[in-house]
Amino acid sequence: MSDVARLAGVSKMTVSRVLAGHSVAPATRERVQQAIDELGYVADAAAGALSSGRSEFVAVLVPSLASSNFSDTVRGLSAALEPHGLQLLIGDTDYHLDREENLVRSMLRHQPRCIALTGSRHTEATRTLLRRAGVPVVEMWDFPSDPIDAAVGFSNVNAAREMVRYLAGRGHQRIGFIGGASELDRRGLDRLKGFRMEMKALGLDAGRVIRLGDSPITMSHGGPAMAALLEAWPDTQAVMCVSDMSAFGAIMECHRRGIKVPDDIAVAGFGNFEVAACCMPSITTISVDAYGIGLRTGAALLAALEAYEQGVVRHAGKRIRVDYEVVTRESA
Amino acid sequence: MSDVARLAGVSKMTVSRVLAGHSVAPATRERVQQAIDELGYVADAAAGALSSGRSEFVAVLVPSLASSNFSDTVRGLSAALEPHGLQLLIGDTDYHLDREENLVRSMLRHQPRCIALTGSRHTEATRTLLRRAGVPVVEMWDFPSDPIDAAVGFSNVNAAREMVRYLAGRGHQRIGFIGGASELDRRGLDRLKGFRMEMKALGLDAGRVIRLGDSPITMSHGGPAMAALLEAWPDTQAVMCVSDMSAFGAIMECHRRGIKVPDDIAVAGFGNFEVAACCMPSITTISVDAYGIGLRTGAALLAALEAYEQGVVRHAGKRIRVDYEVVTRESA
DNA sequence: TTGAAAGCGTTACCAG
DNA sequence: CTGGTAACGCTTTCAA
C-alpha cells in the first residue's frame, strides 16, 4: 500500500479510502486507481480484518456438499451474501457432530461475522463455542422449538406426516418406510419419526420400517432396502422413502422384479431432486426449496448483522418457516 | 492472549508457543492449556497470518458445487489438506470465466498459500493475477499442454475418442452426440471435439450432433435432446452423451417412445455418476476418479508448498495424469 | 479532502 | 526453556 501511495503521490490513508469506496476527490481517486493497476496491488484482507476488527467471513456448515440439497442451499447463501462483500467459509461435516465441532472451532479462529449451520443438534461444546463467539447464528433445515439464535427451515417430522396422509388418502393402508441405519442423519430420523407418528394416528401399522446402509442412504441402497421390505412384508401397498435417491433405487428394484409402480406398489420420495422429475415413473415427493433456504438464511444473517451494528444482541429465537409441499407424480 | 498469559503466569510468547505446538516445558504447557480452556480463548487467525506472513488458506475454484464430480473433488482436496491445518476457501464459478476472475481476485486478498482451479481456460487477467500471486497453482480436470504451473487431470478429448472407439467396436456406425449449447463448459466442448475427431478418423459421419440447453446439461435436457436427435437422424444406432445426466434423460425419453436401449439404440454417458450404475438399463460410461483428482491435487499442492519453503519457485509445468476407463454396462 | 500517528493480536528474532 | 520488542499491513481517529 505504501508503494501505491508513493506512486500516486498520496498517503496510505487515501489509498485505503479509494479501496473502501470512501469519498476521495475524483482526480485523486483516478491517480490512485492507476497506481493500483500498474503495480497489480491486492490489499491484504488479514491486515484489514485485524485493523478494523471485523472480517468478511461467513462460516457455513453443511452435512455434505455432495447432496444437491445442501449444495443448493450453499448457492443460495452465496447469492445472498457475496453482493455484500462477504466470503463463505464452507465446511462439510460429513454428518458428524464432532466434526462439526472441530470445524466450528477452526472457523471461529477467522472471526466470522456470522454463522450458518445445518440442523438443530450440536454438541454441547459447539453450543458453548457459538455462544461465546457472540455473532449471529442461523440453524438451517429444521424448525427447532429452541433455536440457538435464529432458524430457517421446516419440520421434517410434519413433512413426513403429510406424506403419510397423502398415501393413506390414496387408499393405502399397509405402508412401509425405507431409511438409513445410522443415527447420523437427524433429518432422516425426523422423517421416520413423522412416519411412525402419523401411521399410529391413523391407526395403521407403523412397524414396516427398513433401515439399511449408512445415512444418508443413496440410490444404491434403495434397491436392497426395497428387496428387504418386500421380503418381510410382501403385501405392502406403498413405500415412503427417506429421500428421492433411495426412492429411485427402490423403483429400479421393482422394475427388476417385474413389480409395477404404482399399480402393484406405490413409492414416494422426499426432497424433489432432479431425478424425481425425470425418471420413469416420475416420483411423487415432498418438494423443499433448498436454494430458498440459503437465500433466506443469507437475508436473516444480513438483518442480524445490521441489528448487531446497532447494539441488538440476539434474535431471541426468531424462526423463519420454509414451505414444503407434496408434489404428485406418477409413482404414488 | 494477554489474558491467558496473565492467568497462566507466563508471557504471551509462551502461550503462542503452546498453541503452535513448539517446545515448552510440560508443566508450563499444562498451565497454559488450562488457562486457555478456562477463558475459552480462541486465537485470531488474521493476526497470526499478518504476523507470520502466511495464511492457512487454500483457494479452490470449481465450476459448480452442484455437480457430484466437483463436490467429490472438493472432498478429496479437503481430505488431503485439512490434516495439514489448511482451510479451503471454496468458490463456485458457475462455469463463467469472468466470475472465476472475480473470485480469484477476492480470494487473493486472503493471501492463500496455494490455489486449485478447474480447467485450463482462464481470462488473461486471471493468469496475470495468478502469476503475480507467486504461489503454487494446480489446474484440475484437464491435461493442458501448457499448464500455468502444475495440472492434475486427463484429456477430455482423448476420453471421448475412446468412447467413440468403443461404440464403433460394438458395430455402430451412425453415432450421434448430445451435449450443451453454450460455450461455457470447456470439458463438455472437449468431449464433443474428441467425438468429432474420432468419428472422422474412423471415416464415419461426425455431423450427428445435438446441442441443446445451457451447459452443463442435466437430466431434464437429455430427453428433448434425444427427441431432436431421433427427429433429425431416425436411423441413429448409438448416442454418446456429454455426461451421465443427459444420458439418463435420453434413456428415459427412449422408454417413453417405446425404443429399446440398447437393442434399438445404444446410449453412453460420461462421468460414472451414481445414477449410471443404478438405473435401468445401467449406463455404459467413462469412469473418472473425481475424489482422486482432489486427493492428488492436494498432494501436489503440499509438495509444491514444501518446495517453495526451500526456494524452488515453479513446478515447471508438472502434469499428473489421472486415469479414466470405459465402464461397460447395459446401455451400450 | 487529505495526512500522521496509534494500534489491532499475533509471531519472528534475539537475549537471557 | 522463556521473555521482551519489533514488526506485519491495514483502519481508526483526530488534526489540518
Side-chain angles (χ1 to χ4, degrees):
Chain A
M1 193 179 252
S2 303
D3 297 342
V4 174
R6 200 175 315 117
L7 184 58
V10 296
S11 74
K12 285 199 303 178
M13 254 334 287
T14 302
V15 177
S16 174
R17 288 188 182 108
V18 168
L19 253 19
H22 292 162
S23 68
V24 168
T28 315
R29 149 159 287 138
E30 178 81 4
R31 244 180 320 131
V32 172
Q33 193 57 57
Q34 258 170 32
I36 287 173
D37 294 342
E38 196 169 323
L39 296 175
Y41 167 71
V42 178
D44 181 331
L50 181 60
S51 180
S52 67
R54 54 190 353 235
S55 79
E56 54 187 22
F57 287 122
V58 173
V60 180
L61 295 169
V62 292
S64 160
L65 276 175
S67 160
S68 67
N69 264 333
F70 299 121
S71 62
D72 282 347
T73 295
V74 170
R75 285 195 308 113
L77 270 167
S78 177
L81 300 175
E82 266 182 30
H84 294 259
L86 296 167
Q87 250 291 344
L88 299 194
L89 222 43
I90 302 166
D92 182 335
T93 69
D94 201 23
Y95 288 91
H96 289 273
L97 295 185
D98 48 355
R99 243 185 83 76
E100 177 179 77
E101 179 183 323
N102 288 333
L103 284 168
V104 165
R105 204 186 303 281
S106 88
M107 286 182 172
L108 247 23
R109 296 180 17 94
H110 296 288
Q111 318 263 84
R113 295 279 290 283
C114 49
I115 303 175
L117 21 178
T118 307
S120 55
R121 295 279 289 235
H122 316 285
T123 67
E124 205 40 62
T126 302
R127 288 175 182 281
T128 305
L129 284 167
L130 257 19
R131 216 175 302 121
R132 281 197 172 133
V135 297
V137 173
V138 174
E139 293 166 280
M140 309 182 288
W141 280 95
D142 199 354
F143 202 72
S145 50
D146 58 339
I148 297 178
D149 187 3
V152 174
F154 63 96
S155 160
N156 283 272
V157 174
N158 289 342
R161 295 185 72 162
E162 190 159 329
M163 180 55 91
V164 171
R165 281 197 295 276
Y166 168 79
L167 293 172
R170 304 275 290 186
H172 302 300
Q173 311 223 323
R174 299 185 295 280
I175 306 174
F177 183 93
I178 284 177
S182 85
E183 301 295 308
L184 297 177
D185 177 16
R186 301 306 310 184
R187 284 154 299 289
L189 290 177
D190 280 351
R191 290 168 201 168
L192 172 55
K193 187 171 160 194
F195 168 79
R196 287 187 168 135
M197 281 173 70
E198 191 63 23
M199 288 296 278
K200 280 178 197 153
L202 294 172
L204 302 174
D205 173 17
R208 297 176 179 228
V209 173
I210 295 292
R211 299 183 58 187
L212 186 150
D214 275 356
S215 308
I217 58 174
T218 58
M219 286 182 176
S220 51
H221 296 104
M226 181 55 115
L229 186 78
L230 291 171
E231 172 138 348
W233 302 284
D235 62 345
T236 298
Q237 299 170 307
V239 181
M240 172 173 169
C241 300
V242 74
S243 80
D244 290 346
M245 295 293 123
S246 41
F248 178 78
I251 289 173
M252 292 301 114
E253 180 64 21
C254 290
H255 277 333
R256 275 188 285 274
R257 295 172 169 239
I259 297 172
K260 291 209 171 65
V261 177
D263 296 341
D264 298 334
I265 193 167
V267 178
F270 197 112
N272 200 18
F273 289 65
E274 189 178 22
V275 71
C278 292
C279 73
M280 291 187 57
S282 56
I283 303 175
T284 292
T285 188
I286 296 271
S287 151
V288 182
D289 182 6
Y291 185 79
I293 290 180
L295 277 184
R296 299 175 74 172
T297 300
L301 252 14
L302 288 171
L305 244 29
E306 187 115 354
Y308 268 48
E309 317 257 281
Q310 325 213 333
V312 183
V313 180
R314 284 279 129 174
H315 279 156
K318 180 167 186 195
R319 297 184 297 171
I320 297 170
R321 174 169 266 131
V322 172
D323 288 334
Y324 53 84
E325 58 172 335
V326 174
V327 176
T328 309
R329 295 213 182 91
E330 296 163 353
S331 72
Chain B
M1 191 179 254
S2 303
D3 297 342
V4 174
R6 201 176 313 118
L7 184 58
V10 296
S11 74
K12 286 199 303 179
M13 257 331 288
T14 300
V15 177
S16 175
R17 287 189 184 106
V18 169
L19 254 17
H22 292 162
S23 68
V24 169
T28 315
R29 151 159 286 138
E30 178 80 4
R31 245 181 319 131
V32 171
Q33 193 57 56
Q34 257 171 33
I36 288 173
D37 293 342
E38 197 170 322
L39 296 174
Y41 167 72
V42 177
D44 181 331
L50 179 60
S51 180
S52 67
R54 56 193 349 238
S55 79
E56 55 187 19
F57 287 121
V58 173
V60 180
L61 295 170
V62 292
S64 159
L65 277 175
S67 160
S68 67
N69 265 333
F70 299 121
S71 62
D72 283 347
T73 296
V74 170
R75 284 195 309 114
L77 270 166
S78 177
L81 299 175
E82 266 181 30
H84 295 260
L86 296 167
Q87 250 291 344
L88 299 193
L89 221 44
I90 302 166
D92 181 334
T93 70
D94 200 25
Y95 287 91
H96 289 274
L97 296 186
D98 49 354
R99 243 186 83 76
E100 176 180 76
E101 179 183 322
N102 288 332
L103 284 167
V104 166
R105 204 186 302 281
S106 88
M107 286 182 172
L108 247 25
R109 296 181 14 95
H110 296 287
Q111 318 265 82
R113 294 280 290 282
C114 48
I115 303 174
L117 20 177
T118 306
S120 54
R121 295 279 289 236
H122 315 284
T123 66
E124 205 40 62
T126 302
R127 287 176 182 281
T128 305
L129 283 168
L130 256 21
R131 216 176 301 121
R132 280 195 172 134
V135 297
V137 173
V138 173
E139 293 166 280
M140 310 182 287
W141 281 94
D142 200 354
F143 202 71
S145 50
D146 58 338
I148 297 178
D149 187 4
V152 174
F154 62 96
S155 161
N156 283 274
V157 174
N158 289 342
R161 295 185 71 161
E162 190 160 329
M163 180 55 90
V164 171
R165 282 195 297 276
Y166 168 80
L167 292 172
R170 304 277 289 188
H172 303 299
Q173 311 223 323
R174 299 185 296 280
I175 306 174
F177 182 94
I178 284 177
S182 85
E183 301 295 308
L184 297 176
D185 177 15
R186 300 307 308 185
R187 286 154 297 287
L189 289 177
D190 281 350
R191 290 168 201 168
L192 171 55
K193 187 171 160 194
F195 167 80
R196 287 187 167 134
M197 282 174 70
E198 191 63 24
M199 288 296 279
K200 280 179 195 150
L202 294 173
L204 301 175
D205 172 16
R208 296 175 181 230
V209 173
I210 295 291
R211 299 183 58 188
L212 186 148
D214 274 355
S215 308
I217 57 173
T218 59
M219 287 182 176
S220 51
H221 297 103
M226 180 56 114
L229 186 78
L230 291 172
E231 172 138 348
W233 303 284
D235 63 344
T236 298
Q237 299 170 309
V239 181
M240 172 175 169
C241 300
V242 74
S243 81
D244 289 346
M245 295 292 123
S246 41
F248 178 79
I251 290 172
M252 291 301 114
E253 180 64 20
C254 291
H255 277 332
R256 273 189 284 276
R257 294 171 171 241
I259 297 172
K260 292 210 170 63
V261 177
D263 296 341
D264 298 334
I265 193 167
V267 178
F270 197 111
N272 201 18
F273 288 65
E274 189 179 22
V275 71
C278 292
C279 73
M280 290 187 58
S282 57
I283 302 175
T284 291
T285 188
I286 296 271
S287 151
V288 182
D289 182 7
Y291 185 79
I293 290 180
L295 277 183
R296 300 175 74 172
T297 299
L301 252 13
L302 288 171
L305 244 27
E306 188 114 355
Y308 268 49
E309 318 257 283
Q310 325 212 334
V312 182
V313 180
R314 285 280 127 175
H315 279 156
K318 180 169 186 195
R319 295 184 298 169
I320 297 170
R321 175 169 266 132
V322 172
D323 289 334
Y324 53 83
E325 59 171 335
V326 174
V327 176
T328 309
R329 295 213 182 90
E330 296 163 353
S331 72

